[in-house]
């Protein structure tokens, strides 16, 4: 069911409680917390600008880190207020509480178009417990609720679901922000009936994390490409040797079932035919990779670990990707954090961008694939990059997201 969005709301003079994803990486420098990457703050600017233009009193709430219900100074959102103010070019008030009289006071001082950021909602254990009384306190000063935090929408917390329920029960509207709307459009509507050939590329560490996505997309995809450590469990299922590669032996039957389903449905299912392999060893008492080389064989030698797809596989995958009209990519092809094993992932990234330049729709399902594209300077050459990791996967599995369900239907 399509959800109401901020574009459809009359916000003039309304107090809008807005859940955003400001869980930004920070590090201490000379005794102050410094934001290392402001991507998530920037991602909310279109929604904030739209609400300001409509004359809303914007009250932002968010979480940062895992303070586990305690006030932890290093996890305060105060530096985010400062950063947001610079990015949006207007003052952003900050309240060191997220519920209670101090918040009521701060909200009452807002003029139309003003912004107030509340302190980390996770300073209260009631947030993650989706506590009813806490949800009521959070929503106490809200006429309208907006959720722009797709990355937190798979959690049923007070700020993602509880506060929306309170506002709804009061007869108020709950809407998706513009970032949330885009996430739902690309991960939802666009993949509902994708233009063929639809190529799905999945990588990363574990089959168990993504098997439900594979299963669901086997209903729609023309080709499924598997890379990363996941591929080795599929190799096991095909009776191949995997050496010391990261595998999930208890998921071999699941991998087998996916391979059979692909055959039944005539879905091309590609796993790497060559790999970069490295020797796991110890250096200074710590785990490390020693010698590494291309292994031009489907089987991986006993003493080696598969760490990336090989050049032949990258080329074969690239040909299929470049012929696609719709692409969904989630997960790296190898241990791309180590530059020696990043080439396979970067080659896939380049093929995805080339296909996009030729008119394909490319959707990047969050997490490490987004990181890899950004590292390669290719982030702006895809159609859409999701801001959600866990939320994207859950959505692609076909699960309802509590933070989305709680919004008002159109
Ligand atoms: P995920 O969060 O499931 O997308 O997994 C991402 C992680 O998978 C990254 O940290 C990669 O280093 C890791 N990964 C990818 N390929 C391999 C591999 N061949 N062996 C071990 N880890 C891998």
């Amino acid at each position: 069911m399509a959800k109401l969005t901020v574009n459809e709301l009359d916000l003039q003079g309304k107090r809008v409680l807005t859940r955003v994803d400001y869980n930004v990486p920070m590090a201490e420098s000379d005794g102050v917390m410094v934001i290392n990457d402001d991507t998530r703050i920037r991602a909310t600017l279109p929604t904030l600008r739209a609400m300001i233009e409509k004359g809303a009193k914007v009250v932002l709430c968010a979480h940062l880190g895992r303070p586990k219900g305690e006030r932890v100074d290093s996890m305060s959102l105060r530096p985010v207020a400062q950063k947001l103010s610079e990015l949006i070019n207007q003052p952003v008030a900050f309240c060191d509480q997220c519920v209670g009289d101090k918040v009521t006071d701060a909200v009452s001082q807002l003029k139309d178009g003003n912004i107030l950021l509340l302190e980390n909602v996770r300073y209260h254990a009631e947030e993650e417990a989706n506590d009813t009384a806490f949800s009521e306190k959070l929503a106490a000063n809200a006429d309208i609720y907006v959720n722009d935090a797709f990355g937190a929408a798979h959690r049923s917390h007070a700020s993602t679901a509880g506060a929306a329920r309170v506002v709804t029960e009061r007869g108020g509207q709950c809407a998706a922000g513009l970032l949330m709307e885009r996430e739902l459009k690309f991960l939802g509507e666009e993949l509902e009936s994708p233009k063929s050939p639809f190529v799905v590329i999945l990588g990363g560490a574990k089959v168990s994390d993504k098997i439900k996505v594979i299963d669901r997309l086997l209903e729609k995809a023309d080709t499924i490409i598997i890379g990363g450590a996941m591929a080795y469990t599929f190799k096991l299922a095909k009776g191949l040797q995997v050496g010391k590669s990261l595998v999930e032996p208890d998921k071999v039957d699941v991998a087998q079932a996916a391979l059979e389903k692909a055959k039944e449905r005539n879905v091309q299912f590609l796993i790497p035919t060559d790999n970069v392999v490295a020797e796991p060893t110890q250096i200074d008492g710590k785990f490390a990779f020693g010698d590494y080389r291309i292994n031009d064989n489907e089987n991986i030698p006993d003493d080696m670990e598969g760490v990336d797809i090989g050049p032949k596989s990258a080329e074969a995958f690239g040909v299929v990707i470049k012929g696609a009209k719709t692409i969904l990519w989630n997960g790296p092809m190898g241990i791309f954090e180590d530059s020696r094993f990043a080439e396979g992932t970067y080659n896939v990234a380049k093929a995805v961008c080339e296909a996009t330049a030729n008119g394909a729709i490319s959707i990047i399902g969050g997490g490490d694939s987004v990181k890899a594209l950004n590292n390669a300077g290719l982030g702006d050459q895809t159609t859409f990059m999701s801001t959600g990791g866990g939320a994207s996967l859950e959505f692609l599995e076909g699960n309802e997201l509590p933070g989305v369900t709680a919004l008002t239907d159109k």
Side-chain angles (χ1 to χ4, degrees):
M1 179 76 79
K3 298 294 181 181
L4 207 61
T5 76
V6 282
N7 281 335
E8 289 134 353
L9 299 180
D10 171 14
L11 299 178
Q12 187 63 49
K14 301 274 171 51
R15 302 164 304 167
V16 185
L17 179 67
T18 307
R19 177 59 157 100
V20 282
D21 182 0
Y22 285 166
N23 191 22
V24 291
M26 287 201 209
E28 199 202 292
S29 171
D30 291 334
V32 287
M33 297 304 290
V34 177
I35 297 166
N36 289 329
D37 181 348
D38 60 13
T39 309
R40 286 184 169 157
I41 307 175
R42 286 179 190 274
T44 65
L45 296 180
T47 302
L48 300 187
R49 289 198 180 111
M51 294 200 293
I52 291 163
E53 209 160 283
K54 282 168 173 262
K57 297 178 165 114
V58 181
V59 182
L60 300 172
C61 70
H63 79 273
L64 180 66
R66 297 198 165 126
K68 300 200 172 133
E70 312 245 322
R71 186 168 277 270
V72 178
D73 287 345
S74 61
M75 294 181 199
S76 169
L77 282 165
R78 190 183 286 277
V80 174
Q82 170 72 32
K83 177 55 95 181
L84 174 60
S85 167
E86 288 163 20
L87 293 173
I88 203 159
N89 209 12
Q90 75 171 65
V92 173
F94 179 74
C95 180
D96 65 4
Q97 306 288 333
C98 65
V99 291
D101 293 344
K102 228 173 163 178
V103 176
T104 305
D105 230 36
V107 174
S108 72
Q109 284 170 35
L110 292 177
K111 300 203 168 54
D112 298 355
N114 283 178
I115 305 176
L116 167 71
L117 174 63
L118 305 179
E119 185 54 286
N120 193 344
V121 284
R122 287 200 189 164
Y123 279 180
H124 299 259
E126 298 96 319
E127 157 67 2
E128 293 190 64
N130 192 8
D131 179 81
T132 304
F134 183 73
S135 300
E136 275 163 10
K137 285 185 205 163
L138 257 183
N141 301 293
D143 302 308
I144 285 173
Y145 173 88
V146 165
N147 194 340
D148 213 20
F150 179 75
H154 58 315
R155 310 275 185 221
S156 184
H157 292 171
S159 67
T160 58
R165 184 183 40 75
V166 174
V167 171
T168 303
E169 281 169 5
R170 261 195 240 135
Q173 292 167 304
C174 299
L178 303 180
L179 175 63
M180 174 76 92
E181 184 191 19
R182 269 171 67 73
E183 295 275 3
L184 300 179
K185 171 175 152 44
F186 283 105
L187 295 177
E189 290 159 37
E190 287 286 348
L191 297 181
E192 209 41 59
S193 29
K195 252 198 186 165
S196 184
F198 177 28
V199 176
V200 175
I201 313 156
L202 293 170
K206 290 183 179 167
V207 170
S208 50
D209 286 346
K210 291 177 192 169
I211 190 64
K212 283 198 197 138
V213 176
I214 296 176
D215 200 50
R216 180 152 181 265
L217 292 174
L218 271 168
E219 319 261 330
K220 295 180 192 255
D222 297 290
T223 303
I224 296 211
I225 293 174
I226 305 280
M230 281 172 71
Y232 307 124
T233 302
F234 281 95
K235 277 189 192 269
L236 272 186
K238 287 184 148 201
L240 297 165
Q241 306 296 313
V242 294
K244 292 203 157 82
S245 304
L246 181 64
V247 283
E248 292 172 278
D250 60 328
K251 290 290 174 284
V252 169
D253 52 340
V254 175
Q256 188 81 53
L259 289 170
E260 272 159 29
K261 186 166 171 182
K263 213 181 220 172
E264 273 163 32
R265 302 191 67 91
N266 228 356
V267 176
Q268 186 181 26
F269 203 101
L270 301 179
I271 63 171
T273 52
D274 62 343
N275 283 92
V276 176
V277 295
E279 188 190 6
T281 180
Q282 299 267 325
I283 296 177
D284 297 334
K286 277 195 206 139
F287 177 86
F289 288 113
D291 286 344
Y292 67 100
R293 62 184 160 82
I294 292 165
N295 179 56
D296 189 9
N297 191 307
E298 283 191 290
N299 293 293
I300 291 174
D302 286 350
D303 55 342
M304 301 298 263
E305 179 173 336
V307 289
D308 193 8
I309 59 172
K312 279 191 187 159
S313 305
E315 193 173 341
F317 291 178
V319 169
V320 175
I321 294 166
K322 286 176 209 166
K325 284 270 174 292
T326 311
I327 299 165
L328 172 70
W329 179 23
N330 182 299
M333 297 290 102
I335 307 176
F336 77 109
E337 298 91 337
D338 184 327
S339 60
R340 297 173 294 172
F341 315 135
E343 202 161 326
T345 301
Y346 290 141
N347 282 332
V348 162
K350 280 183 215 148
V352 169
C353 295
E354 205 172 313
T356 315
N358 289 330
I361 289 186
S362 56
I363 299 165
I364 315 303
D368 280 331
S369 325
V370 169
K371 223 181 270 170
L373 277 158
N374 284 335
N375 288 353
L378 299 171
D380 56 351
Q381 292 180 39
T382 61
T383 311
F384 180 72
M385 294 203 296
S386 175
T387 55
S392 313
L393 277 183
E394 288 214 17
F395 197 54
L396 291 171
E397 283 174 8
N399 294 345
E400 276 195 16
L401 305 185
V404 176
T405 307
L407 303 177
T408 312
D409 293 330
K410 263 195 198 174

